[in-house]
Amino acid sequence: MAYILGIWALKYPWPGLCALLLLFLFLPLKNHGQNVLAMVIFVCGFALCWFRLPDLPVHIPQEVKTTQRTLIMGQVESVAMLPGKRQRIILDNLTLGHEDEARSLEGKLVFTWQEAPVQVYPGQVVQANLNVRPIHGLANFGVWNSEFFWRTQNVLWRSYSRGEHFWFRVKGDPGYSSVMRGHLKDKARSGLSLDRIDPDRKTQVQGLGLALFFGDRYLVDQDVIDSIRLASLAHSLALSGLHLGIMAGMGFILAWLTGLLYPRIYLFLPFMKLGVLLAAPLCLIYIWMGQAPPTLIRSAIMFASWGLLLFLNQKRILLDGLFLAAAVITIYDPWSVFDLRLQLSMAAVTGIALVLPVLEQGLKKAKKVWESIILKYFLGLAAVTIAANIALLPVQAWTFNYVSPHLYLNLIWLPVLGFIVLPAGFGGIILSLVPGLQWLGSLLLALSGHTLHYFLVFLNYLDLKDLLHPMVTLRPSWHQNMAFWMIMLLIIFCRSLSLKNKRHLAGITLVFILAVLPLVANKHPEELKLKVLDVGQGQGVIMQLPGNKTILVDGGGSWNPDYDLGKLVIVPSLTWRQWPSRLEKTILSHAHVDHYGGLLYPLQYLGSDAFLHNGILPRGADRQRLETALNRRGTPQGIVARGDILKQAHGLIIEVLHPGSNPEHYDKLNDTSLVLRVTWKGKGMILIPGDIEEQAIDALLETGSDLSAKVLVVPHHGSRSSASRKFYKAVNPEIAVVSRGFMNRFDLPHQEVLDIISEMGIALYDTSRHGETVISWKSFDSDPLIVWAREKTGPKNIPYWF
């Protein structure tokens, strides 16, 4: 534990040190020397990762800085088949440029290829003209991004392409193993091709089968993945310990059958040990079929640890095996400590090991119920589900920002998966290779396919009834997460505690402080706070007003429909260390996707007292999605124009300065943007002008309205089309914040805007360089407090903004 906490402290120093202190207070080692050794191991774990952490690229090649494609070549290290017909390819040994002038590029590249015309395999060489960018995630306080994770894997570059509209070449033999696996996939896909169902549904059935048998999610739509996740069944689709456990269960069934045929074998090999031996080859075959992803390898190490302790006749197999597996995994790959998949797995198994015995003791008191084999099975499964999810609750809330009310579906689906889908599927694949038994293989695969079909029908029914929706939660701070787990442990081991023990008393006091501190630290009812979020090439602004009221102005938006900024950034920011609550107002400046895309999710799952806009809304499918989101929470709409007052309380006024009542006469949609000005006791504080350009700026200046404000959100992301010196002089801001994407294809902000800002001596904050920028005032005449996410970085640019 000290070793793992040392690694953890590299990115989360205070949580790591606090957990180490709690470890010494509640579980000190026997003597002073051993405690000192544990502290040394903590430091060694920290130092090991410190020196092994890959450096960020010092030099970005000129070809990468441009928006043009460049020729890059690399060897395929791994390939993951992702939903939405995407291949995620990790390329190593990178070279940039044509062969006669090629030069090496440090680090690795993650290349996402959607709807690729070819299947890429590990060991092959890929050469292609790609848009290459440095790995650079969105930096928002308390919101996870993949930047640090990829860096620990030495993946420093990224690229995305779709289809075959660019030049590429794939060289090299896939290898016998990949060819054999592909042959098995073809057999499975053929057997899962059901008649008399919709072609799209048939594809999804095939996709789910390939996902369960081979870890290949290529054919599965993202909507289906989301439905499975909202049904609290996502773990059943990931290749993990659950599936390996089902394979191991088949081994124990074989041990039982062997005992029926030859009972004397138990004299030499007890049932449990025979089950372990027979399960091992089945698990190895499954790992090979799934292409040995890290999740399966780690699960296999856990099962191997438990099997080893079982053969050694140890008593505490589950918990001791977990620690043994954790040691093996983290010594071999220290960076796995930061892998969410391992965190979820370890937390779930720990919950089962610690909470399940407590639940079982309660169940055993109902003797009549416990004596029924069927009820005992389902109650045991329910207890395992509850135990695992209790331990997972903080991770679930922090990472995914919601909980599902459908845990009960595990009681239905997991037995079906374990007794029908996987056994029939694997049996069908194997028998389809045996001459004379192909008919039986086809029958078993059809059984598995029809079961998956009815599973999808059931999910679709839940979705149509609006039962598959997330319950948005508080996103706890590290203090609250640690307090939750410690309180859970204190309840379980309460009989071992003594208030007369000074260490125990100090530990309990520290847990109490951790639980209460975030509640006290978050109370600023009379504060005005402006948050310009890092949403990439778009704009999303949160205003927290005196009286604990929240207004959301725009939500950013991506041209990729699978990347929902409302779900990934806006709502996580709104619920970071605070309970989810209905927004007072949600305001759309104008109907461009980079402003409205991220509003749909918060409108649908948080709700708002009012949705305000200029009268021009998105069209087509996006209009329908917006209407659905508004109707679900009963959010009223309102059209606002110049002269309207949106908020008047605590001396604070939010007024609309533009456009007038007829915005349609503007040539460009950008010029219809709502311009909002916030004043506090008569002083201009904030001006948010949306994407207004030259025509709208001239119209705004002609009105003679007071535009002065201490903070200006730079119009149109810093485009030269909004570079008006008259406008900037009329606002006369002390601070300007530009919201734009890192290395965006528009090359924003333009130099003309930067020159004006520089000439006027305005302090400039840029979300692509600073991340989320937060400006707050305790009173109308106080100096602003300014913090930004990327300010919170440690040595070697380790992100601390989480």
Side-chain angles (χ1 to χ4, degrees):
M1 289 180 71
Y3 168 70
I4 290 174
L5 289 175
I7 299 171
W8 189 253
L10 181 70
K11 185 180 178 186
Y12 304 99
W14 287 115
L17 288 168
C18 188
L20 183 69
L21 176 59
L22 287 168
L23 188 65
F24 284 130
L25 290 174
F26 287 109
L27 296 171
L29 295 169
K30 293 182 179 179
N31 58 58
H32 180 69
Q34 290 178 331
N35 287 314
V36 171
L37 178 62
M39 295 179 67
V40 170
I41 290 174
F42 174 90
V43 174
C44 288
F46 180 89
L48 172 69
C49 288
W50 171 274
F51 290 112
R52 287 187 58 180
L53 182 65
D55 291 321
L56 294 172
V58 177
H59 172 68
I60 298 178
Q62 187 60 37
E63 300 95 323
V64 175
K65 291 180 180 179
T66 67
T67 59
Q68 303 299 316
R69 291 181 179 270
T70 184
L71 184 64
I72 192 163
M73 183 171 67
Q75 186 171 29
V76 180
E77 179 182 273
S78 64
V79 182
M81 309 301 285
L82 303 180
K85 297 183 178 179
R86 292 176 296 151
Q87 297 183 62
R88 188 177 66 199
I89 305 162
I90 305 298
L91 296 177
D92 199 1
N93 302 320
L94 302 173
T95 58
L96 202 62
H98 294 278
E99 294 182 4
D100 55 341
E101 54 183 20
R103 56 195 184 281
S104 62
L105 187 65
E106 60 182 317
K108 304 174 186 178
L109 178 140
V110 54
F111 172 33
T112 302
W113 196 354
Q114 190 166 15
E115 298 177 358
V118 296
Q119 163 74 64
V120 180
Y121 298 95
Q124 292 184 317
V125 174
V126 173
Q127 190 175 20
N129 278 321
L130 301 176
N131 283 115
V132 178
R133 293 287 181 269
I135 294 283
H136 187 92
L138 304 179
N140 294 280
F141 286 109
V143 180
W144 185 87
N145 74 16
S146 59
E147 197 172 305
F148 182 77
F149 170 77
W150 285 122
R151 184 179 172 190
T152 62
Q153 310 304 307
N154 198 28
V155 176
L156 306 179
W157 314 93
R158 64 173 177 85
S159 184
Y160 169 87
S161 282
R162 186 169 190 157
E164 52 181 328
H165 64 278
F166 61 99
W167 183 88
F168 67 89
R169 181 167 59 193
V170 179
K171 299 183 292 185
D173 183 15
Y176 176 77
S177 178
S178 296
V179 171
M180 186 61 188
R181 192 182 296 109
H183 180 59
L184 294 179
K185 285 184 182 181
D186 291 338
K187 290 287 186 182
R189 190 183 295 113
S190 176
L192 294 169
S193 182
L194 307 179
D195 297 328
R196 299 178 183 177
I197 66 171
D198 179 80
D200 290 338
R201 177 63 56 79
K202 181 189 295 186
T203 301
Q204 295 311 303
V205 168
Q206 292 174 320
L208 282 180
L210 294 178
L212 289 168
F213 307 145
F214 300 95
D216 182 342
R217 302 187 181 191
Y218 187 79
L219 295 177
V220 187
D221 288 343
Q222 186 61 47
D223 290 342
V224 174
I225 297 291
D226 291 340
S227 294
I228 293 172
R229 184 176 291 118
L230 291 172
S232 193
L233 300 173
H235 58 289
S236 70
L237 194 59
L239 293 191
S240 62
L242 172 65
H243 300 80
L244 215 57
I246 291 173
M247 298 303 294
M250 294 181 189
F252 282 93
I253 291 174
L254 289 177
W256 174 70
L257 292 174
T258 304
L260 288 180
L261 297 174
Y262 185 60
R264 290 176 61 86
I265 194 171
Y266 291 153
L267 297 175
F268 309 99
L269 275 176
F271 170 74
M272 293 296 291
K273 294 184 179 181
L274 179 61
V276 170
L277 289 178
L278 294 177
L282 295 176
C283 290
L284 290 173
I285 292 171
Y286 188 56
I287 290 171
W288 173 79
M289 290 179 64
Q291 302 184 66
T295 51
L296 273 187
I297 295 295
R298 293 164 188 164
S299 299
I301 291 172
M302 287 189 198
F303 279 95
S305 300
W306 292 326
L308 175 63
L309 294 177
L310 182 67
F311 268 86
L312 295 175
N313 299 313
Q314 298 296 307
K315 294 181 179 180
R316 295 194 320 167
I317 293 175
L318 189 59
L319 202 56
D320 287 351
L322 178 66
F323 273 83
L324 176 59
V328 173
I329 292 168
T330 55
I331 288 173
Y332 175 74
D333 179 17
W335 298 123
S336 62
V337 170
F338 300 107
D339 191 323
L340 177 62
R341 297 166 297 183
L342 180 65
Q343 294 169 14
L344 292 171
S345 179
M346 289 291 183
V349 176
T350 302
I352 293 170
L354 297 178
V355 180
L356 184 60
V358 178
L359 296 177
E360 284 183 338
Q361 287 179 8
L363 290 173
K364 286 179 180 179
K365 293 180 180 179
K367 293 184 179 180
K368 291 183 179 180
V369 174
W370 196 249
E371 288 171 359
S372 169
I373 295 176
I374 296 177
L375 284 175
K376 182 178 180 179
Y377 169 78
F378 280 101
L379 286 174
L381 183 59
V384 168
T385 301
I386 292 170
N389 279 276
I390 287 174
L392 286 172
L393 186 59
V395 184
Q396 173 88 4
W398 190 88
T399 307
F400 303 110
N401 201 194
Y402 71 87
V403 294
S404 170
H406 299 295
L407 287 177
Y408 63 91
L409 292 179
N410 285 273
L411 304 182
I412 304 170
W413 174 239
L414 294 186
V416 172
L417 181 69
F419 291 113
I420 299 177
V421 176
L422 288 180
F426 284 117
I429 292 171
I430 293 170
L431 292 176
S432 66
L433 301 174
V434 180
L437 292 178
Q438 287 94 338
W439 65 271
L440 182 56
S442 298
L443 189 63
L444 289 174
L445 280 170
L447 173 62
S448 181
H450 281 291
T451 307
L452 290 173
H453 167 60
Y454 289 118
F455 171 62
L456 289 174
V457 170
F458 178 64
L459 287 180
N460 188 54
Y461 171 79
L462 293 177
D463 192 30
L464 289 174
K465 295 296 183 180
D466 196 28
L467 296 175
L468 287 183
H469 56 80
M471 296 174 59
V472 178
T473 64
L474 160 91
R475 294 189 60 250
S477 65
W478 70 265
H479 317 79
Q480 293 164 317
N481 280 341
M482 193 171 294
F484 177 92
W485 281 314
M486 287 305 304
I487 290 171
M488 181 182 74
L489 291 172
L490 292 176
I491 292 172
I492 294 172
F493 298 106
C494 60
R495 295 181 181 179
S496 303
L497 296 174
S498 173
L499 294 180
K500 294 180 180 180
N501 186 315
K502 293 181 179 180
R503 287 184 292 98
H504 290 180
L505 187 61
I508 292 170
T509 302
L510 179 56
V511 172
F512 176 79
I513 292 172
L514 289 173
V516 173
L517 185 62
L519 302 177
V520 177
N522 258 2
K523 298 296 182 182
H524 299 291
E526 298 305 317
E527 188 175 65
L528 172 62
K529 184 176 291 186
L530 172 73
K531 297 182 178 182
V532 183
L533 302 177
D534 183 4
V535 293
Q537 187 54 41
Q539 181 173 292
V541 176
I542 296 172
M543 289 192 291
Q544 293 180 335
L545 312 179
N548 282 331
K549 299 294 183 180
T550 301
I551 293 178
L552 175 61
V553 183
D554 294 337
S558 170
W559 285 270
N560 178 0
D562 295 330
Y563 190 73
D564 189 344
L565 278 164
K567 178 181 179 180
L568 299 174
V569 174
I570 304 299
V571 171
S573 294
L574 288 168
T575 55
W576 169 235
R577 295 189 296 188
Q578 49 192 337
W579 291 101
S581 60
R582 194 175 176 90
L583 295 164
E584 183 176 18
K585 287 179 178 63
T586 301
I587 303 172
L588 171 61
S589 65
H590 65 294
H592 274 159
V593 68
D594 59 326
H595 289 252
Y596 71 72
L599 293 180
L600 304 182
Y601 190 86
L603 283 171
Q604 189 165 4
Y605 298 115
L606 290 181
S608 180
D609 291 342
F611 173 62
L612 306 178
H613 52 86
N614 60 13
I616 302 174
L617 291 174
R619 298 176 180 178
D622 284 349
R623 174 67 172 269
Q624 183 59 46
R625 292 171 60 218
L626 177 60
E627 295 289 349
T628 300
L630 293 171
N631 292 337
R632 187 179 184 279
R633 302 288 295 194
T635 301
Q637 297 187 50
I639 298 175
V640 294
R642 182 173 59 246
D644 288 336
I645 302 297
L646 307 186
K647 174 74 177 179
Q648 191 167 4
H650 301 277
L652 187 142
I653 297 174
I654 301 177
E655 56 184 331
V656 180
L657 303 182
H658 178 84
S661 57
N662 184 27
E664 290 86 356
H665 77 275
Y666 287 102
D667 298 330
K668 295 182 180 179
L669 198 58
N670 283 337
D671 285 324
T672 69
S673 297
L674 293 175
V675 177
L676 306 177
R677 181 172 181 253
V678 181
T679 61
W680 197 2
K681 296 187 177 179
K683 289 198 173 184
M685 307 298 287
I686 303 165
L687 188 73
I688 306 174
D691 281 357
I692 58 172
E693 299 185 34
E694 183 177 358
Q695 188 181 6
I697 290 174
D698 290 343
L700 179 62
L701 292 173
E702 286 175 5
T703 65
S705 300
D706 185 358
L707 304 181
S708 63
K710 294 182 178 180
V711 177
L712 170 68
V713 179
V714 176
H716 200 191
H717 320 287
S719 170
R720 61 172 58 91
S721 61
S722 304
S724 166
R725 279 183 168 77
K726 290 182 179 179
F727 172 76
Y728 278 84
K729 288 180 179 178
V731 180
N732 194 27
E734 301 169 4
I735 300 164
V737 185
V738 60
S739 180
R740 57 108 179 189
F742 175 72
M743 292 183 67
N744 62 83
R745 61 193 178 97
F746 308 106
D747 197 28
L748 300 171
H750 291 146
Q751 191 60 47
E752 294 90 328
V753 175
L754 297 177
D755 289 343
I756 294 173
I757 290 174
S758 176
E759 290 170 8
M760 294 184 63
I762 303 168
L764 176 64
Y765 293 87
D766 178 346
T767 57
S768 74
R769 291 190 297 111
H770 296 91
E772 176 188 351
T773 303
V774 181
I775 306 170
S776 55
W777 297 267
K778 293 188 180 299
S779 65
F780 72 96
D781 56 355
S782 65
D783 292 329
L785 175 64
I786 308 171
V787 294
W788 59 94
R790 291 190 183 275
E791 177 188 29
K792 307 295 183 180
T793 54
K796 301 187 77 170
N797 288 312
I798 297 171
Y800 286 166
W801 60 76
F802 304 102

